[in-house]
């Protein structure tokens, strides 16, 4: 199966989007894509989330829309039916991992400890979300995992900013980072898509395509 990291290898950042009004989904996704961030993770935290995924999948062909905060087999099925092309979880269980595998789309199960990462490696899963990144140890923690777990590759998410992202992206075991800093609440409230696009462009420039993880 294709890895989430291969869906848009040129994009160093995955915007983590919380959408309250599904009508905002398409212009928001278009702004992110125009800024160079085609991977769009819509978190399943609001009633509008699945409609937002559905709208982006149908109307923004250059976006690779996924669903985040997936915590159940039912959530996996709902997200895939809505058009999600990848799935992200904050943690994992055997049952949830089984549903992710059966979904047929790439996925990133969440881990925050070495034991959780080793358990996923035992299951043959090498791509993981590291969450909550800053609270769970940040750059020093992930750097310390590169030696004993060289095959594991992470997308750290949680508390990451424009200032801290480059430190994560410099690590050999980080494929991309997830963040919200290019989606400031005041810009979203004002539907200032030009500002979102500008911030997305800055985020996309944090690592050029010629620099590998």
């Amino acid at each position: 199966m294709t890895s989430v990291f291969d869906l848009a290898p040129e994009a160093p950042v995955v915007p983590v989007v919380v959408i309250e009004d599904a009508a905002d989904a398409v212009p928001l996704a278009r702004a992110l894509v125009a800024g160079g961030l085609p991977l769009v993770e819509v978190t399943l935290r609001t009633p509008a989330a699945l409609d937002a995924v559905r709208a982006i999948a149908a109307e923004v062909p250059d976006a690779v829309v996924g669903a985040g905060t997936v915590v159940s087999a039912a959530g996996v099925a709902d997200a895939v039916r809505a058009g999600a092309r990848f799935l992200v979880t904050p943690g994992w269980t055997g049952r949830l991992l089984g549903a992710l595998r059966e979904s047929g789309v790439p996925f990133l199960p969440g881990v925050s400890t070495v034991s959780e990462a080793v358990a996923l490696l035992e299951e043959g899963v090498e791509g993981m979300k590291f969450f909550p990144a800053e609270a769970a140890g940040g750059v020093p923690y992930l750097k310390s995992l590169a030696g004993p777990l060289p095959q594991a590759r992470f997308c750290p998410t949680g508390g990451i900013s424009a200032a801290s992202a480059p430190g994560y992206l410099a690590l050999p075991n980080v494929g991309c980072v997830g963040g919200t800093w290019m989606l400031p609440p005041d810009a979203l409230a004002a539907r200032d898509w030009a500002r979102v696009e500008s911030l997305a462009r800055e985020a996309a420039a944090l690592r050029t395509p010629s620099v590998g993880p």
Side-chain angles (χ1 to χ4, degrees), residues 111 128-131 133 136-149 152-157 160 167-169 171-177:
V111 301
M128 313 173 193
K129 171 181 176 177
F130 178 57
F131 176 83
V139 169
Y141 190 94
L142 279 181
K143 185 176 181 179
S144 71
L145 296 186
L149 304 178
R153 199 171 182 206
F154 298 94
C155 175
T157 305
I160 297 176
Y168 286 97
L169 292 169
L171 297 177
N173 55 352
V174 168
C176 59
V177 301

Side-chain angles (χ1 to χ4, degrees), residues 23-197:
D24 293 336
V26 168
L28 175 56
R30 285 175 175 159
L32 292 170
V33 171
L37 300 180
L39 288 177
V40 181
E41 177 189 332
V42 177
T43 63
L44 302 186
R45 301 181 190 177
T46 68
L50 289 174
D51 285 338
V53 171
R54 196 172 291 112
I56 295 170
E59 299 183 44
V60 192
D62 291 332
V64 182
V65 64
T69 320
V70 179
V71 295
S72 67
V76 169
D78 289 343
V80 172
R81 277 196 298 267
R85 294 172 58 185
F86 66 94
L87 303 169
V88 183
T89 77
W92 69 282
T93 64
R95 182 177 180 183
L96 181 55
L97 183 61
L100 292 170
R101 281 178 159 152
E102 292 172 4
S103 71
V105 302
F107 57 87
L108 288 173
V111 301
S112 60
T113 70
V114 176
S115 294
E116 291 167 343
V118 170
L120 277 180
L121 291 175
E122 286 183 347
E123 294 284 348
V125 178
E126 297 182 352
M128 313 173 193
K129 171 181 176 177
F130 178 57
F131 176 83
E134 288 288 281
V139 169
Y141 190 94
L142 279 181
K143 185 176 181 179
S144 71
L145 296 186
L149 304 178
Q151 67 273 55
R153 199 171 182 206
F154 298 94
C155 175
T157 305
I160 297 176
S161 66
S164 63
Y168 286 97
L169 292 169
L171 297 177
N173 55 352
V174 168
C176 59
V177 301
T180 62
W181 72 85
M182 73 298 300
L183 303 163
D186 59 336
L188 298 184
R191 294 178 169 82
D192 187 350
W193 310 128
R195 184 180 172 200
V196 170
E197 179 180 339

Side-chain angles (χ1 to χ4, degrees), residues 185-211:
D186 59 336
L188 298 184
R191 294 178 169 82
D192 187 350
W193 310 128
R195 184 180 172 200
V196 170
E197 179 180 339
S198 177
L199 291 170
R201 186 169 290 108
E202 292 176 6
L206 289 176
R207 185 176 64 202
T208 63
S210 61
V211 179

